[in-house]
Every structure is written in structure tokens, then in C-alpha cells.
Amino acid sequence: MSRTPRDPEGRMPLREHLVEIRKRVVRIAIGLLLGAILGWILYDPLLEALVDPLQAASEERGALIGLNFDGVATAIDIHFKVALFLSVIVSSPWWLYQVFAFVNPGLTRDERKYVYGFLAAAVPMFLSGAALAWYVLPYVVEVLNSFVPEGSSNLVGAQMYLSFVMRLILACGIAFLVPVFMVVLNLMGVVSARTWLAGWRWAVLISFVFAAMVTPTLDVMSMFGLAAPLCVLYFVATALCFWHDRRAARRRVAATE
């Protein structure tokens, strides 16, 4: 079968893009399925690690604090969710590659080199965000349980607690990808560094709102511990964009001389 011809810049037509996205989605699904199998096998130690902050709070306060499986199908439902959670983490290099392998054919030859740089930065950034959430999690749980009266027990709904923990970790991992997107869009000439700098107030506000949403406690330090790295990464990405814009400007001046 003959392939649909591309334009002079090497871009794919719309029909090939639709075929490409289907192929990438299928590959992502296969990667998640394989990761979920690993998560299913490692369910017991992973669940123990996720529940460990509750056990630490229980020992700290000398109270009964633990999970409550409050439904007939709750245990099996949580088993699936925890397996898929681990799958998203361990298969992150694979699905991030598929996302940008899909974008790659739609770029010009000069733009495609940025995809590989993005992938090299995106995976450690995603894992760093997840690791930061994991580090902050015990403090969040401790603050939440500090309001439990002495002598009382706190049996937390397993669905609610584990959904909160997994959402916190994945949300922080995805949030750490934003600076990488910023740099890539700048390298592609879509957004200038001045545009990113002009929106710094919104970036700081969104960072703190995001931190407040994923750490629903009255502990300011926990919220700041998540928001501060996001703000720092935003300004670091903006600085890299300025560095690239200045280099590009010098090249344009040299080309006209």
C-alpha cells in the first residue's frame, strides 16, 4: 500500500495523524496493561507502603487509625486501582515516549530534535514530582489525624484514603511536566520567554491553588512544600527560554550580516 505523500517540510496529512494516534493509544494501553500485571503481583507490599503513613500516625497518637473496607467489592476494586496506579508510575517512560512519538511526525525536521530532549527531561521530572508527593504525604496524614480526639479511633474509608494518596502522587508528577512543556514550546517558536514571564503571577497563583487542592489540610508548610518547587521550576524554565531566545536572536543577526 502506498503511503500518503507528505508536504515539503515532512509533515503528515490528517488521515495519517488519525492512524498514528490510534497506534499510539493502543501501545499506551498495552504498556499500562503490562504494568498493571506487575502492580497486581506487587499489590501487598505496595498497599503496605501506601498505608504506612496511617500506621505511623496511629503509633504517634496511640490511637486506632487504619483503613475501613466498607463494601463487599471494595477490596477487589482497590486491588485494581492500586495495580493501575503502579502501572502509570513504572510505565511512565513508555507512555511519555508514545505521546511525543505521536507529535513527532507532525513537526518539521528541525523541530523533531526537540522531542528527544523533552523525553530525556520529562521522565525524571515526572518521577521527581511523584517522589516529592510521596515525601510530603506522611506530614499531610499526620496533620489530618492531629484533629482526632485522644482516646478515639479513626477508621478511614479505604476508597477515599487510597484515592487521595494516588491522586496526590500522580497530580504532582504531571505538574512537574509543565516546565518541560514550557521549554519545548519555546524551542519550537510557539511561545516566547517574555510571554512566560508576563504570566508569572498567574503561574504562582495556580501553583498555590494546586497545592491547596491536593493537600487539603490547614498545614501551611505542607502546601508551601508543594507550591514552592512548582514556582521555582516555572522560573527556571522561563530563564532557559530567555537563554534560547537570545541565542536565536544572535543567530538571526549573524545570518543577516
Side-chain angles (χ1 to χ4, degrees):
M1 180 183 295
S2 60
R3 295 178 59 87
T4 304
R6 305 189 178 198
D7 64 21
E9 291 290 337
R11 294 188 176 93
M12 297 172 62
L14 177 60
R15 187 177 66 83
E16 286 197 17
H17 269 299
L18 296 177
V19 174
E20 183 74 10
I21 193 172
R22 182 182 63 183
K23 180 176 70 175
R24 299 301 172 185
V25 168
V26 170
R27 290 183 178 181
I28 289 174
I30 293 173
L32 290 175
L33 177 60
L34 294 176
I37 294 173
L38 177 63
W40 187 273
I41 297 172
L42 299 178
Y43 171 75
D44 289 334
L46 180 58
L47 180 64
E48 182 179 349
L50 293 173
V51 179
D52 186 65
L54 279 181
Q55 295 178 341
S58 178
E59 296 174 0
E60 177 71 21
R61 298 189 56 79
L64 176 59
I65 300 174
L67 292 186
N68 178 34
F69 290 79
D70 53 356
V72 176
T74 300
I76 187 66
D77 185 41
I78 288 176
H79 204 132
F80 278 109
K81 288 183 178 179
V82 170
L84 183 58
F85 164 73
L86 181 63
S87 175
V88 174
I89 298 293
V90 299
S91 66
S92 57
W94 174 251
W95 56 259
L96 281 170
Y97 168 76
Q98 296 303 323
V99 169
F100 288 93
F102 165 70
V103 176
N104 188 42
L107 303 177
T108 64
R109 294 184 180 89
D110 292 334
E111 293 169 344
R112 288 174 191 167
K113 59 184 179 182
Y114 302 135
V115 172
Y116 302 104
F118 174 89
L119 185 64
V123 173
M125 289 295 288
F126 174 80
L127 296 177
S128 297
L132 176 63
W134 183 259
Y135 174 78
V136 173
L137 176 62
Y139 300 99
V140 175
V141 173
E142 181 180 353
V143 171
L144 286 173
N145 283 280
S146 65
F147 295 95
V148 178
E150 293 187 7
S152 301
S153 60
N154 182 23
L155 296 179
V156 184
Q159 285 277 20
M160 180 183 66
Y161 172 77
L162 292 173
S163 295
F164 161 71
V165 171
M166 293 185 288
R167 184 169 59 246
L168 169 67
I169 294 173
L170 294 179
C172 288
I174 293 173
F176 268 53
L177 292 176
V178 172
V180 185
F181 275 104
M182 292 172 57
V183 174
V184 170
L185 290 174
N186 175 258
L187 293 176
M188 293 170 58
V190 177
V191 183
S192 68
R194 293 187 179 277
T195 301
W196 291 129
L197 184 61
W200 74 268
R201 294 178 180 84
W202 283 105
V204 172
L205 176 62
I206 292 172
S207 296
F208 276 90
V209 170
F210 169 79
M213 290 175 61
V214 298
T215 57
T217 72
L218 300 178
D219 182 16
V220 177
M221 293 305 298
S222 297
M223 182 180 70
F224 187 81
L226 285 177
L230 295 177
C231 294
V232 170
L233 288 172
Y234 183 89
F235 287 109
V236 169
T238 302
L240 290 174
C241 292
F242 269 108
W243 174 75
H244 170 260
D245 287 353
R246 288 173 182 170
R247 288 190 60 192
R250 286 197 293 267
R251 287 196 297 266
R252 288 194 296 269
V253 171
T256 57
E257 292 178 351

